[in-house]
Amino acid sequence: MTQSNSNASVLIRPNVAPGTIDLVSRPTDFFDLLVALGLTGPTTGAAPVKWNLQSAGNGSAETFVENQAAPSAGRRTLVQASLAMTYYRTVAAITGHLLDNARKNGLYESSVWEAELADAVKALLYLLEQNLLGSTQDVGIASIIDAGDTYAGIAPGSVSAWAALETAVGGALTAAVMQDTYEALISAPYNAMPGVILAAVNQLTNYASIAGPAATTPQTRIVLPAQYDIGITAAPMSFNGIPLKPIRNMTSTEMYWLDLTEQKTAEGTVPGIQLQVHRDLSVLPFAITNDNMSAQVSMGCALRVANRRRHAKLTGITA
């Protein structure tokens, strides 16, 4: 009888490539951008983080004539912001029996425990990303860059200077909306200089369509050569020199304008926006339990916006 693949199947070595390809979608665009721009840093003392703000100035300035009596003295109005840290963690575990197989080179992965820890880090950073892009008070950018929500213990209803510029578009993104936002931000009382505009990918497409091939008004369409690539969003995009950055998990109907400049104080300068890290990304091994190895991956941080008034958001933009 002729030997065959079927009869000799026990001799055939499975043709499985080493390693594991991750199919889980866990983009961390906003966190990665903060790191790339150098907008992360350690806290320098105990939590919560606090900083002092001046919400109003001396109101005694006046013109005066000869022999006119001096007015009553004015003073600054001061208030203190206080921002608590948010802690994140994941736990990874592996059985002693699987470790035995790993030690004997019996797995497709050479370092299965390290792979579990690396995946736990990805899960933690993805949760952090989701929270940073969410609307939880003091945690997410949707609440921090806002005209009405309380942030760092201060409500704009009580301190009007603690309100970001917020515009409810309620329709399509237009050149006029972009221009009005820019003009308002660089003018009093905001006096900002936006350094980056963040939005979901669909809003970058909408921006490109204002004057691109998809423009509804023929006069605003870009004239293209005979051979062309209409995928404009692949190229770096900007508005008045301000880079537009795609953030994949950001709310698809919103756009954020951030001022990245440092804020001046009498004692020096402080970051305008910074992810302040109170606990660095840490791995804490747990005791061996039931022959299993386990560890906690954790991090503690908060997004600190020193001067809330220097930032803006657009809401209700047609997705």
Side-chain angles (χ1 to χ4, degrees):
M1 179 180 292
T2 302
Q3 189 65 274
S4 66
N5 282 334
S6 175
N7 296 329
S9 60
V10 297
L11 301 178
I12 298 175
R13 179 181 298 139
N15 183 16
V16 180
T20 303
I21 297 173
D22 189 357
L23 301 181
V24 183
S25 176
R26 292 177 290 193
T28 54
D29 298 332
F30 186 42
F31 174 77
D32 295 341
L33 181 65
L34 292 173
V35 173
L37 294 176
L39 300 177
T40 65
T43 55
T44 56
V49 173
K50 298 184 179 184
W51 65 102
N52 296 325
L53 302 163
Q54 178 181 333
S55 59
N58 190 317
S60 65
E62 68 173 12
T63 61
F64 69 100
V65 297
E66 184 179 11
N67 207 34
Q68 179 177 326
S72 299
R75 66 173 178 84
R76 297 174 298 158
T77 301
L78 304 173
V79 64
Q80 189 173 80
S82 178
L83 183 63
M85 296 292 117
T86 301
Y87 282 79
Y88 304 86
R89 69 179 175 185
T90 51
V91 175
I94 187 173
T95 68
H97 287 200
L98 184 57
L99 274 174
D100 291 337
N101 284 335
R103 295 187 187 101
K104 300 298 183 179
N105 298 319
L107 305 178
Y108 290 117
E109 290 183 336
S110 58
S111 303
V112 65
W113 175 235
E114 287 77 5
E116 289 298 319
L117 287 177
D119 187 71
V121 170
K122 287 183 181 180
L124 183 147
L125 293 180
Y126 184 58
L127 176 61
L128 171 61
E129 175 85 355
Q130 291 175 300
N131 277 264
L132 290 177
L133 296 177
S135 58
T136 300
Q137 182 178 317
D138 288 347
V139 176
I141 193 172
S143 179
I144 296 172
I145 309 302
D146 192 84
D149 286 3
T150 296
Y151 171 59
I154 304 173
S158 302
V159 181
S160 60
W162 196 235
L165 173 63
E166 181 176 350
T167 301
V169 177
L173 184 67
T174 63
V177 167
M178 300 291 286
Q179 291 165 358
D180 289 346
T181 303
Y182 179 79
E183 290 172 357
L185 266 180
I186 66 172
S187 303
Y190 301 99
N191 305 315
M193 186 50 64
V196 67
I197 300 173
L198 309 181
V201 176
N202 68 300
Q203 290 304 339
L204 269 65
T205 302
N206 291 342
Y207 175 74
S209 298
I210 293 174
T216 56
T217 304
Q219 289 83 355
T220 62
R221 291 179 189 152
I222 295 174
V223 178
L224 298 171
Q227 295 181 341
Y228 55 84
D229 180 350
I230 64 173
I232 296 175
T233 54
M237 305 178 68
S238 64
F239 174 78
N240 278 349
I242 309 167
L244 276 75
K245 298 293 185 181
I247 306 296
R248 279 170 286 188
N249 279 339
M250 184 163 279
T251 302
S252 64
T253 57
E254 296 179 353
M255 179 176 282
Y256 292 81
W257 302 53
L258 304 182
D259 185 337
L260 306 181
T261 57
E262 293 186 329
Q263 299 297 289
K264 295 180 179 179
T265 73
E267 310 302 322
T269 59
V270 297
I273 181 170
Q274 186 181 56
L275 183 67
Q276 295 211 305
V277 180
H278 201 57
R279 176 187 289 186
D280 288 328
L281 190 64
S282 305
V283 177
L284 176 66
F286 290 160
I288 299 295
T289 304
N290 299 328
D291 194 46
N292 300 338
M293 178 186 292
S294 60
Q296 171 185 278
V297 179
S298 62
M299 182 178 182
C301 58
L303 189 62
R304 179 177 182 266
V305 174
N307 185 346
R308 198 184 194 190
R309 183 177 254 183
R310 297 177 71 92
H311 310 276
K313 75 173 175 180
L314 307 178
T315 64
I317 312 171
T318 302

